[in-house]
Amino acid sequence: MIKVGFMGGTFDPIHIGHMLAAESAREACGLDEVWFIPAGQPPLKENGPVADGQTRLEMVYRAIDFQPHFRAMDVELDSDGKSYTINTIKMLHEQYPGREFSIIIGTDRVNDLAQWHEIERLAEMVRFIGMTRGGQDMKVDNLPAFLRDRLTIVEMPQIKLSSTDVRDRRAQGRSIRFLVPEKVYSFITRNGLYESQ
């Protein structure tokens, strides 16, 4: 059985915190691969992504270039309406048999895990890997027992960074170098992304 970590998100843009989380989860949980899956329209985010789906996917490709254990997948970008994780997982199980999937999530997603669409069914199909994030309180005890039993907590190097931070710095004319992978930095600056919001 191939162990795959599923890392969803808008990746608007992907940054070094995403990369650190993926590598920390891979190492701690013995994952064979981590798949980065940019979301179309995430159900729990009120505002949609700033960059379009193909642009965000291109940044993910550039970020993981030459990383043998990382893959980028476009399976959610073509979905109409909101992207529900359970639909993606069902499709991945059908298309990629022989794989055991774990969903890698940050503190904020751990705390709202019980609100996910069809969460009981999803928990039967996958495990969850919760990544600790500096300055945020992970409320594991508030989760139902069926979720706590399927959740592994992994510590990662503490870095207080979000895609919003990156976009805000760009909009303010401040540097984002070293906050995103170098190839992503080049792509963002060359294409004038996030210069104003």
Side-chain angles (χ1 to χ4, degrees):
M1 186 72 73
I2 298 171
K3 297 176 71 175
V4 174
F6 170 116
M7 194 162 181
T10 50
F11 301 120
D12 192 25
I14 189 168
H15 55 70
I16 60 169
H18 295 126
M19 307 296 288
L20 282 169
E23 183 65 7
S24 298
R26 188 188 70 79
E27 183 179 59
C29 297
L31 303 175
D32 297 296
E33 296 181 334
V34 175
W35 294 2
F36 291 80
I37 303 180
Q41 174 58 47
L44 295 178
K45 286 196 175 183
E46 291 182 13
N47 299 318
V50 174
D52 65 68
Q54 285 307 124
T55 299
R56 292 182 287 114
L57 180 64
E58 180 64 28
M59 288 189 280
V60 173
Y61 278 128
R62 289 169 184 270
I64 67 172
D65 196 19
F66 301 115
Q67 304 298 322
H69 302 290
F70 293 170
R71 291 178 62 183
M73 310 286 281
D74 65 357
V75 295
E76 288 194 355
L77 292 180
D78 294 331
S79 64
D80 294 327
K82 295 183 175 181
S83 303
Y84 288 109
T85 302
I86 187 151
N87 296 334
T88 303
I89 289 295
K90 287 176 182 176
M91 185 190 62
L92 293 176
H93 273 295
E94 291 172 6
Q95 293 185 5
Y96 301 95
R99 286 166 175 81
E100 177 184 282
F101 289 97
S102 295
I103 300 176
I104 302 168
I105 51 178
T107 301
D108 50 348
R109 296 285 76 96
V110 170
N111 292 340
D112 66 26
L113 194 55
Q115 301 169 35
W116 286 26
H117 185 67
E118 294 188 41
I119 186 59
E120 292 181 10
R121 176 75 180 111
L122 181 61
E124 294 171 359
M125 302 170 71
V126 300
R127 296 192 60 82
F128 300 93
I129 302 172
M131 309 304 299
T132 59
R133 192 169 177 177
Q136 292 185 320
D137 184 22
M138 194 176 287
K139 300 177 175 68
V140 176
D141 292 341
N142 292 349
L143 294 174
F146 77 90
L147 287 176
R148 290 196 305 271
D149 292 344
R150 304 289 289 172
L151 176 66
T152 301
I153 304 300
V154 172
E155 290 191 22
M156 61 176 278
Q158 294 304 300
I159 177 169
K160 191 173 181 182
L161 178 64
S162 70
S163 296
T164 302
D165 296 334
V166 174
R167 294 194 306 270
D168 288 347
R169 288 179 71 91
R170 281 286 290 167
Q172 296 162 11
R174 299 164 66 199
S175 175
I176 61 166
R177 176 162 265 163
F178 310 121
L179 300 180
V180 297
E182 186 63 25
K183 289 187 176 184
V184 175
Y185 171 79
S186 298
F187 182 83
I188 289 172
T189 54
R190 188 171 62 250
N191 291 283
L193 297 178
Y194 312 118
E195 288 182 348
S196 61
Q197 297 184 39

